[in-house]
Amino acid sequence: MGSTGEYESQRRVPVPPSKPFLKSLQATLKETFFPDDPFRQFKNQPTSSKFLLGLQYFVPIIEWAPHYTFDFIKADLIAGITVASLAVPQGISYASLASIPPIIGLYSSFVPPLLYAMLGSSRDLAVGTVVVASLLISSMLGKEVSPTENPKQYVQLVFTATFFAGVFQASLGILRLGFIVDFLSHATIVGFMGGAATIVCFQQLKGILGLIHFTHETDLVSVMRSVFSQIHQWRWESAVLGCCFLFFLLLTRYFSKRKAAFFWINAMAPLTTVILGSLLVYLTHAEKHGVQVIGHLKKGLNPPSASDLAFGSSHLMAAIKTGIVIGIIGLAEGIAVGKTFAMFKNYHIDGNKEMIAFGMMNIAGSCTSCYLTAGPFSRTAVNFNAGSRSAVSNIVMATAVMFTLLFLTPLFHYTPLVVLSSIIIAAMLGLLDYEAAIHLWKIEKFDFFICLGAYLGVVLGSVEIGLIIAITVSLLRIILFVARPRTMVLGNIPNSGIYRSMDQYQMANSVPGILILQIDAPVFFANASYLRERISRWIYEEEDRLKSAGEASLHYVILDLSAVGSIDTSGISMLEELMKNVHRKGLQLLLANPQSEMMKKLDKSKLIDKIGQGWIFLTVEEAVSACNFMLHTCKAIHVAVDQNAEENKV
């Protein structure tokens, strides 16, 4: 097709200077593991300052405590006491959901919040037990050891799973592997949480109906079969009490959403139901008429449990697997909640610091009779709305729980289990985010089906199946997008030098004799073969279109590489094969706007020499101008040749 040597306006695309391998590797690792550049604060600092800054980085309370003011104390005191009023009934309720003694739920709201206040970077996160993790513990460990037949061994496995969850979380933070949690997409979490909430709600029918025996399975079919196979054992007293308390909780939530002033009523509602339920049972002796109660709760602070960690158990692998799963769920929810509320107050939280904080508080918790804790949305929302100013609200909450453990646990003796079931159902209904699912359907159907798959997997299978389905589909989606990247035909926007997708811009016009294609992803072994075939098909289709329309034949193929951030050896081989195929058809291949990494690879592979430096352009506009110049030049030459031939005949 000739050369572009006479096209004077072309600006060459330079090959960037090569970097030593170790320096290039260092830059890649830094971008992967240290995108926030945590070491910048240590630059040009004396050793003593570096030590202090290091302490402040790993123990944030050292940084903000000296600046703490009296105004903050008042706000954090109110917020902490308000959250404690929610933490006490929730702790007892969620512990029963995890099939462990209720007192462990209270223990878990004492030690972990104190650790988080020292190590966490969020000012608003309220630490506590998480309902989905509680369900996971019950469903995964309950298959290994029966919580009713071997309660001591079961509790030991729960503490062991919590320990490994903490180790896993802290390891992710220390090794800067927080991006792993990003594989749990928003659609995955919405579906998974919704499915877990549905199952939890139906499981609470055991408490609402006063049933004693109930299935350990978590799928909907097994739960409903267990409920309806025991119709003769339903207790109407328990059902009436449960429905009344559930109605009260939902009513307070409804009014709090309608008017902000009712927030306090909603925040105090769970504790109010516990007090009212306990008084009602005590005064009417309802426990003698089929209403089950919590019973005796031990007074005193957390007993040590390090010796209970079952490292030598035959069920150790189950505890490790459970720990990793609940650790991921705890991180995903806690970090997402922390970042959400940080945006409201315009400050930043460090995801890796949060992982270390979560990990350390769960490791410490497993040694002090606690099970997994994170940053549940319900407590954090209460903490935020109550006006918390710092992590001191967690210390206040822990102090209130400590006071409860030391002096008030006997008061919970008459608390009916049906009240705990009502509290759990009310909390779970808030996780059924059907509006988010509708939003996914409107915006991205694939995300909706990921959400639906996770939901159905949990509801019809198990929590583990739902999680596996959600993660698998999400990974398949990533693989699909990587292996089948988009390619599009570009056209010229009239009266401009702009070239855009002809599918998106209907007014864009194709350029006679030129096919402009854009590759919208990195090119490497997973998609190189596909791209070669797809580009070849674009060329066939364009030639057929021009032939059927009777337009000028195709002469040039321009590849817009502006979106190709990287390329590997398979990609280079693909370009070389494509160039040969294009040349065999009598066409010329041009490259537009190749990025620095691609230019390095093209230079090292000598492909620049094979394509020709003159066929590599800075922009699509320049490439088109060069093609038009060559087409007009060739046309002028052909006309001159024809004229000479005519003159010679004459």
Side-chain angles (χ1 to χ4, degrees):
M1 292 299 299
S3 169
T4 59
E6 299 178 17
Y7 184 68
E8 298 296 335
S9 65
Q10 180 191 352
R11 290 166 290 190
R12 299 293 184 185
V13 179
V15 177
S18 60
K19 294 181 181 178
F21 172 73
L22 290 178
K23 193 171 182 179
S24 178
L25 179 64
Q26 182 184 10
T28 302
L29 292 176
K30 181 181 178 182
E31 288 303 312
T32 303
F33 298 106
F34 303 97
D36 55 340
D37 193 14
F39 302 115
R40 66 184 181 280
Q41 58 183 329
F42 297 98
K43 292 176 182 177
N44 304 320
Q45 295 288 340
T47 305
S48 57
S49 296
K50 286 182 179 179
F51 178 75
L52 180 61
L53 289 170
L55 276 179
Q56 290 176 347
Y57 181 82
F58 288 105
V59 189
I61 194 172
I62 297 174
E63 181 180 1
W64 58 259
H67 309 292
Y68 196 76
T69 66
F70 181 77
D71 293 336
F72 290 1
I73 292 177
K74 181 181 177 182
D76 286 332
L77 192 63
I78 295 172
I81 293 173
T82 305
V83 175
S85 70
L86 178 67
V88 171
Q90 267 193 356
I92 296 171
S93 304
Y94 294 173
S96 65
L97 184 61
S99 302
I100 55 180
I103 192 67
I104 295 178
L106 290 181
Y107 291 156
S108 301
S109 293
F110 173 46
V111 173
L114 295 176
L115 264 294
Y116 182 82
M118 291 187 288
L119 302 176
S121 60
S122 173
R123 304 172 197 164
D124 301 289
L125 201 72
V127 172
T129 52
V130 185
V131 66
V132 177
S134 302
L135 175 65
L136 279 164
I137 288 171
S138 178
S139 64
M140 295 180 74
L141 294 182
K143 295 176 182 178
E144 301 292 325
V145 176
S146 171
T148 52
E149 296 175 8
N150 298 297
K152 184 177 180 181
Q153 186 181 9
Y154 177 79
V155 170
Q156 288 176 342
L157 280 183
V158 171
F159 291 154
T160 308
T162 302
F163 174 82
F164 283 109
V167 170
F168 177 72
Q169 291 171 332
S171 299
L172 287 182
I174 292 170
L175 298 175
R176 313 285 295 183
L177 297 175
F179 60 86
I180 292 176
V181 180
D182 295 337
F183 283 97
L184 284 175
S185 66
H186 174 67
T188 301
I189 293 173
V190 169
F192 179 77
M193 292 292 189
T198 302
I199 288 299
V200 169
C201 285
F202 281 107
Q203 282 189 328
Q204 296 316 301
L205 292 174
K206 174 188 177 184
I208 295 290
L209 299 174
L211 299 175
I212 298 174
H213 303 290
F214 206 71
T215 181
H216 293 295
E217 300 296 324
T218 58
D219 64 283
L220 184 62
V221 175
S222 299
V223 171
M224 297 311 295
R225 185 187 296 123
S226 183
V227 169
F228 287 103
S229 64
Q230 304 182 70
I231 293 179
H232 58 285
Q233 296 182 15
W234 291 7
R235 309 293 302 192
W236 70 266
E237 302 93 338
S238 181
V240 170
L241 199 61
C243 290
C244 289
F245 283 123
L246 181 59
F247 176 76
F248 171 72
L249 290 167
L250 295 178
L251 191 65
T252 57
R253 176 186 294 175
Y254 172 77
F255 282 118
S256 70
K257 288 182 177 179
R258 293 291 297 272
K259 195 171 182 180
F262 289 116
F263 153 72
W264 297 100
I265 298 175
N266 184 47
M268 300 296 290
L271 185 60
T272 304
T273 57
V274 168
I275 294 171
L276 290 176
S278 300
L279 284 174
L280 187 63
V281 170
Y282 177 75
L283 295 174
T284 62
H285 302 287
E287 76 275 13
K288 297 179 181 178
H289 301 282
V291 177
Q292 301 174 51
V293 297
I294 289 178
H296 176 67
L297 289 180
K298 292 189 297 182
K299 287 174 65 174
L301 301 181
N302 303 35
S305 58
S307 58
D308 291 330
L309 299 179
F311 295 130
S313 171
S314 58
H315 305 291
L316 180 62
M317 290 309 299
I320 294 174
K321 183 178 75 170
T322 304
I324 292 174
V325 172
I326 62 177
I328 291 175
I329 295 298
L331 283 181
E333 181 177 0
I335 293 176
V337 169
K339 287 184 175 180
T340 300
F341 286 96
M343 284 192 297
F344 292 148
K345 291 187 178 178
N346 196 28
Y347 70 92
H348 172 73
I349 67 170
D350 187 325
N352 288 292
K353 278 187 188 178
E354 291 295 284
M355 291 178 185
I356 295 173
F358 279 26
M360 296 308 296
M361 74 183 186
N362 281 314
I363 291 172
S366 68
C367 298
T368 52
S369 300
C370 305
Y371 80 110
L372 187 112
T373 51
F377 180 83
S378 57
R379 287 197 199 188
T380 305
V382 169
N383 193 39
F384 178 85
N385 290 324
S388 69
R389 302 294 292 274
S390 72
V392 170
S393 60
N394 276 296
I395 298 175
V396 174
M397 178 189 70
T399 305
V401 172
M402 178 188 72
F403 184 81
T404 302
L405 287 168
L406 289 174
F407 305 108
L408 303 181
T409 49
L411 299 179
F412 293 98
H413 182 281
Y414 291 99
T415 301
L417 296 183
V418 67
V419 167
L420 304 183
S421 295
S422 301
I423 292 172
I424 291 174
I425 291 175
M428 289 304 94
L429 292 177
L431 292 179
L432 289 169
D433 196 352
Y434 63 90
E435 291 180 352
I438 294 172
H439 184 68
L440 290 173
W441 172 260
K442 289 179 180 177
I443 294 181
E444 177 57 69
K445 301 295 190 292
F446 202 102
D447 276 344
F448 173 80
F449 286 113
I450 290 175
C451 174
L452 185 63
Y455 179 85
L456 294 177
V458 174
V459 171
L460 301 179
S462 66
V463 177
E464 302 98 298
I465 290 174
L467 193 61
I468 290 170
I469 289 174
I471 293 176
T472 302
V473 175
S474 295
L475 291 176
L476 284 175
R477 184 187 186 188
I478 294 171
I479 293 170
L480 183 64
F481 282 178
V482 166
R484 294 293 182 267
R486 290 190 307 163
T487 57
M488 61 197 79
V489 177
L490 303 185
N492 176 242
I493 303 296
N495 303 316
S496 76
I498 300 172
Y499 294 83
R500 292 292 183 268
S501 169
M502 295 182 68
D503 282 339
Q504 182 180 0
Y505 295 86
Q506 299 298 317
M507 78 288 289
N509 300 318
S510 58
V511 183
I514 305 172
L515 174 63
I516 310 169
L517 299 174
Q518 184 180 63
I519 300 174
D520 202 19
V523 181
F524 61 111
F525 66 93
N527 58 28
S529 178
Y530 165 77
L531 285 172
R532 181 182 62 249
E533 299 299 328
R534 187 66 186 94
I535 293 170
S536 297
R537 185 150 56 93
W538 277 122
I539 296 172
Y540 292 139
E541 291 171 355
E542 181 67 8
E543 287 180 329
D544 291 343
R545 185 188 71 81
L546 294 174
K547 189 179 296 183
S548 62
E551 297 179 13
S553 59
L554 186 64
H555 295 283
Y556 296 97
V557 177
I558 300 174
L559 289 186
D560 179 5
L561 304 174
S562 55
V564 181
S566 61
I567 189 169
D568 69 354
T569 52
S570 298
I572 294 293
S573 298
M574 181 275 290
L575 283 179
E576 190 169 1
E577 288 180 39
L578 180 65
M579 180 192 69
K580 292 176 182 177
N581 292 339
V582 168
H583 286 176
R584 276 196 291 267
K585 288 177 170 291
L587 308 176
Q588 177 62 51
L589 180 68
L590 295 83
L591 305 182
N593 195 18
Q595 303 298 305
S596 60
E597 284 300 312
M598 174 167 279
M599 286 302 292
K600 288 180 185 177
K601 301 286 177 62
L602 291 175
D603 181 55
K604 291 178 180 177
S605 63
K606 307 300 182 185
L607 192 55
I608 287 182
D609 298 333
K610 295 177 183 178
I611 295 175
Q613 179 71 56
W615 297 111
I616 302 175
F617 295 85
L618 191 63
T619 65
V620 173
E621 182 183 8
E622 288 194 356
V624 171
S625 297
C627 293
N628 285 331
F629 175 81
M630 292 299 299
L631 286 172
H632 293 150
T633 301
C634 291
K635 186 176 181 181
I637 292 172
H638 289 149
V639 170
V641 169
D642 291 341
Q643 287 177 346
N644 288 334
E646 290 293 329
E647 289 174 0
N648 289 334
K649 287 180 182 179
V650 173

